[in-house]
Amino acid sequence: MIVPINKPVGWSSFDVVKKVRKITGEKKVGHGGTLDPFAKGVLVIGIGRDSTRQLSYFSNSTKKYEAKLKLGSETDTLDLTGKIINEMNIPLIRKQNIKSIFSEFTGYQKQIPPMFSAKKIKGVRLYKLARQKKTVQREPIQVFIKLLELIDYSSNSINFLVSCSKGTYVRQLGSDIAKKIGTVGHLTELHRIQA
């Protein structure tokens, strides 16, 4: 059985898997694409051996998110759960500037995975190294941004919609957008609305 679950903020993807195992009594339970604990939204769950084998279809699919980017401060995790490591002034931003910057991020591009991520380097998850205050060289990975659309903005935040390929870190995208604007930033909200 394949089930879409609306993951709440504060739960890890594995927390949801554990809860489903407990409710169903089924040992073979998996998910089709990790969602950070600070994020909420669609998490595809497979229950049973046959269903968990089908999860790669969902994890490889295009996903859509709504995100809120706070400008002027950067955290070590690139989201609101981290410690502020950098602050910068925010230049005056205009709608046309944001749209122009967004157009630079659509299509194929290389993205360096953030240190606070579940990606493995030599068998060790990056976030485990990051918690030990270690930084390692990460190879850029190719991602595809199908759609990047402005929802609204203020003098210090930008709300956007993004449709992207597997392996895209929306936190990293937010940080990269802030840098293009001429400041730093981190995500305060992330909502997966489609998988």
Side-chain angles (χ1 to χ4, degrees):
M1 186 189 301
I2 301 286
V3 183
I5 289 181
N6 188 15
K7 186 193 87 66
V9 171
W11 286 42
S12 71
S13 299
F14 188 63
D15 288 337
V16 177
V17 167
K18 282 195 296 187
K19 190 76 169 174
V20 172
R21 277 184 189 150
K22 190 175 178 182
I23 291 166
T24 62
E26 175 63 62
K27 287 182 182 176
K28 269 286 185 190
V29 177
H31 63 78
T34 303
L35 201 51
D36 289 334
F38 92 97
K40 64 181 180 180
V42 181
L43 185 69
V44 177
I45 296 288
I47 304 166
R49 187 175 298 279
D50 292 340
S51 296
T52 52
R53 285 181 181 152
Q54 295 171 40
L55 286 174
S56 60
Y57 169 78
F58 294 98
S59 59
N60 291 328
S61 69
T62 298
K63 296 173 181 70
K64 193 180 278 187
Y65 301 86
E66 284 181 10
K68 186 169 187 175
L69 172 63
K70 183 180 179 187
L71 300 170
S73 60
E74 179 181 26
T75 66
D76 54 2
T77 59
L78 305 181
D79 63 45
L80 78 170
T81 66
K83 294 175 186 166
I84 293 174
I85 55 170
N86 194 8
E87 292 183 294
M88 279 179 77
N89 289 331
I90 306 165
L92 182 67
I93 52 176
R94 301 187 198 289
K95 190 175 186 176
Q96 205 47 49
N97 295 93
I98 298 168
K99 287 188 166 185
S100 175
I101 287 166
F102 278 12
S103 69
E104 293 179 44
F105 285 99
T106 52
Y108 286 102
Q109 61 173 290
K110 296 282 188 183
Q111 189 185 65
I112 296 172
M115 275 304 300
F116 278 91
S117 66
K119 186 166 180 64
K120 286 183 179 178
I121 301 277
K122 294 181 181 172
V124 181
R125 297 206 184 271
L126 284 174
Y127 66 79
K128 289 189 176 178
L129 297 171
R131 285 177 188 153
Q132 296 167 19
K133 309 282 188 231
K134 293 177 182 173
T135 304
V136 295
Q137 187 74 28
R138 284 104 61 212
E139 290 298 317
I141 54 170
Q142 184 168 267
V143 297
F144 182 71
I145 309 291
K146 186 178 180 182
L147 172 85
L148 187 54
E149 211 169 77
L150 179 65
I151 298 172
D152 60 31
Y153 72 101
S154 68
S155 59
N156 67 351
S157 72
I158 295 172
N159 286 32
F160 63 91
L161 181 74
V162 59
S163 179
C164 53
S165 67
K166 174 191 175 179
T168 305
Y169 291 94
V170 183
R171 287 176 291 132
Q172 187 64 54
L173 176 63
S175 176
D176 294 342
I177 289 167
K179 284 173 183 163
K180 279 277 186 186
I181 288 168
T183 185
V184 290
H186 66 274
L187 292 193
T188 55
E189 292 175 26
L190 184 62
H191 183 192
R192 186 190 282 164
I193 56 173
Q194 188 178 310

